[in-house]
Amino acid sequence: MELKALYKAAGTYKDSERLPVLFLGHGSPLNAIEINEFSSGWRAMAETMPLPVAILCISAHWETHGTYVTAMEKPRTIHDFGGFKQDLYEVQYPADGSPDLAKEIKALVSATAIELDNSWGLDHGSWSVLRHLFPLAGIPVVQLSLDYRKTPLQHYNLAKELAMLRQKGVLIIGSGNIVHNLRLIDWNRSDEGYDWAIETDSRVRQLILENDHHSLINYSNAGGAFNMAIPTPEHYLPLLYAIGLKGEKEEASFFNTKTIMGSISMTSVRIG
């Protein structure tokens, strides 16, 4: 049986081995088609995890008024960027969606009204990493949007309501970047970061290890380097979903811990 058919047959979301949670620093869309240290890191991580029945991705690139979850059978591959070589626009990630999982998410969350969406699909925050994690596109994928009206604490609390999915074979992935300031990118610093970017990335990792979720949620109060590193919240918020799903005794580990082009951190996190 083909992988896609196998997962579709298994997709009843019954209790299973508890899956880890990932936050992936996705960086440039070009990482989708390049084999480099970051895409190789994603591939290596996938080899250490159980295969999920389905995937829920929270991407920095789907901001909405209200909270939505994709509910179509066949999500389209969205090329939501400009100015790159043609090869990138030809990439398709033909994973199935999962209307059943979308409905389960809607029913599971009580503090937030979640609406079913049939128009979005998979943006590059999702498919650029998924095509390295699961290149056969055999696992159903749904995306959850980021409501730009919600506070960081509300996003964190929403994540906690999704925790049960980890017991049902669902891999939850937040895709963004801890440090993401496109206005200050320096193309001549392809392999290094500004001091304030390195400082913020290092401090965030330390706070994760210390389980200091209060400081991570209230990052905007940290001032200084944090204000430079996180000028807008959309790439940072997927990290709050990952730490919101962290069990009290679970450990966090890091990979792809590198800051590039001055102001982009590629740090990725595995929880559990």
Side-chain angles (χ1 to χ4, degrees):
M1 182 182 291
E2 292 183 357
L3 269 179
K4 187 174 289 189
L6 177 64
Y7 284 109
K8 194 167 185 179
T12 51
Y13 313 116
K14 297 178 180 177
D15 288 348
S16 67
E17 180 179 359
R18 188 184 197 189
L19 289 181
V21 177
L22 297 178
F23 169 78
L24 301 178
H26 65 244
S28 167
L30 287 173
N31 290 320
I33 58 174
E34 294 178 353
I35 302 300
N36 55 36
E37 60 185 300
F38 307 121
S39 60
S40 295
W42 301 331
R43 290 178 177 226
M45 177 55 64
E47 292 176 358
T48 70
M49 300 188 303
L51 283 171
V53 169
I55 298 164
L56 168 61
C57 191
I58 301 97
S59 164
H61 294 280
W62 191 22
E63 292 184 277
T64 53
H65 184 130
T67 304
Y68 295 84
V69 61
T70 55
M72 67 285 290
E73 291 277 0
K74 300 287 183 180
R76 64 192 175 102
T77 302
I78 303 172
H79 299 89
D80 51 330
F81 41 73
F84 293 94
K85 55 187 179 181
Q86 185 58 34
D87 290 1
L88 191 56
Y89 298 92
E90 295 173 358
V91 172
Q92 295 292 313
Y93 190 75
D96 287 342
S98 177
D100 288 343
L101 177 56
K103 291 173 185 174
E104 183 163 352
I105 291 169
K106 178 179 172 66
L108 186 62
V109 175
S110 60
T112 296
I114 295 183
E115 301 299 329
L116 302 180
D117 173 85
N118 288 288
S119 62
W120 187 245
L122 303 179
D123 59 55
H124 83 271
S126 292
W127 62 260
S128 67
V129 295
L130 289 175
R131 73 187 307 264
H132 291 292
L133 293 170
F134 306 108
L136 296 181
I139 303 170
V141 183
V142 302
Q143 271 197 221
L144 184 72
S145 75
L146 294 171
D147 183 349
Y148 54 76
R149 302 171 305 168
K150 288 190 178 301
T151 66
L153 178 60
Q154 287 174 316
H155 286 287
Y156 174 86
N157 287 336
L158 171 55
K160 287 191 169 297
E161 293 195 75
L162 301 171
M164 187 184 300
L165 296 175
R166 296 181 62 192
Q167 300 291 146
K168 297 189 173 188
V170 178
L171 174 64
I172 303 177
I173 300 173
S175 179
N177 294 97
I178 292 173
V179 176
H180 186 268
N181 191 328
L182 293 183
R183 294 173 298 170
L184 297 179
I185 277 182
D186 183 346
W187 300 102
N188 295 318
R189 289 176 174 258
S190 60
D191 233 20
E192 60 183 90
Y194 298 120
D195 289 346
W196 51 261
I198 295 170
E199 176 188 340
T200 300
D201 185 74
S202 177
R203 180 59 178 154
V204 167
R205 281 185 275 134
Q206 181 181 355
L207 291 171
I208 292 171
L209 292 176
E210 294 172 352
N211 280 321
D212 187 350
H213 293 189
H214 176 80
S215 293
L216 290 164
I217 292 165
N218 294 285
Y219 68 92
S220 60
N221 295 332
F226 273 67
N227 289 346
M228 298 284 284
I230 313 169
T232 57
E234 76 288 340
H235 277 74
Y236 182 84
L237 289 174
L239 175 68
L240 296 186
Y241 281 82
I243 65 166
L245 288 157
K246 183 178 182 297
E248 186 176 348
K249 296 183 179 180
E250 282 190 301
E251 294 186 357
S253 58
F254 307 100
F255 59 104
N256 288 354
T257 51
K258 191 172 185 179
T259 304
I260 60 173
M261 295 186 289
S263 59
I264 302 291
S265 163
M266 294 300 293
T267 293
S268 296
V269 186
R270 173 175 172 161
I271 292 168

